[in-house]
Amino acid sequence: MIQVIQAGTQPSAAGPAEYFTGTVRVDSPFKGTSPARVGGAAVTFEPGARTAWHTHPLGQTLIVTSGCGLVQEWAGPVREIKPGDIVWIPPGVKHWHGATATTAMTHIAIAEALEGKTVDWMEKVSEEQYSARP
């Protein structure tokens, strides 16, 4: 049966300080039912907020819906992302994403679970790493 989750029926949740720097809000989480493995949420990062370094066993898609954000893979350049941009992060690629220092950013994050796991969290992004701009 088709499932419709009405907007506003799920409470917002704070992004855990263990995995995020700054103020992060997670809204409208969703998860398919077996055999589907897909899940995701709308994630809002206030200015300066970002994820810790992490990987996804089956990759991740980000669809930027508002604001201005940043994404970086390990040893790669910090890249700017804006509304309408779609970011594909391949499986196992160490990366982070978040807002710029001055502008909030919201994206829809989508990932598939492998044996029930969608993400492997690592160390936090340093101020030096966050501030590195091309």
Side-chain angles (χ1 to χ4, degrees), residues 18-19 51-54 74 94-96 120-126 129:
E18 181 180 0
Y19 306 132
T51 67
W53 287 101
H54 61 288
W74 188 256
K94 184 176 179 178
H95 70 285
W96 66 269
D120 289 302
W121 291 105
M122 300 170 184
E123 73 274 14
K124 290 206 173 182
V125 175
S126 71
Q129 291 167 325

Side-chain angles (χ1 to χ4, degrees), residues 23-111:
T23 302
V24 177
R25 187 180 73 243
V26 180
D27 288 296
S28 304
F30 61 90
K31 183 177 175 185
T33 55
S34 185
R37 302 182 298 186
V38 69
V43 184
T44 300
F45 299 82
E46 292 301 319
R50 56 200 178 266
T51 67
W53 287 101
H54 61 288
T55 63
H56 300 277
L58 295 176
Q60 181 183 47
T61 300
L62 305 176
I63 303 168
V64 182
T65 59
S66 67
C68 188
L70 304 170
V71 63
Q72 181 184 26
E73 68 181 271
W74 188 256
V78 175
R79 299 171 66 180
E80 192 172 86
I81 53 178
K82 294 185 176 183
D85 289 351
I86 299 170
V87 180
W88 165 244
I89 299 133
V93 171
K94 184 176 179 178
H95 70 285
W96 66 269
H97 38 97
T100 66
T102 58
T103 305
M105 185 268 296
T106 300
H107 63 49
I108 298 169
I110 304 165

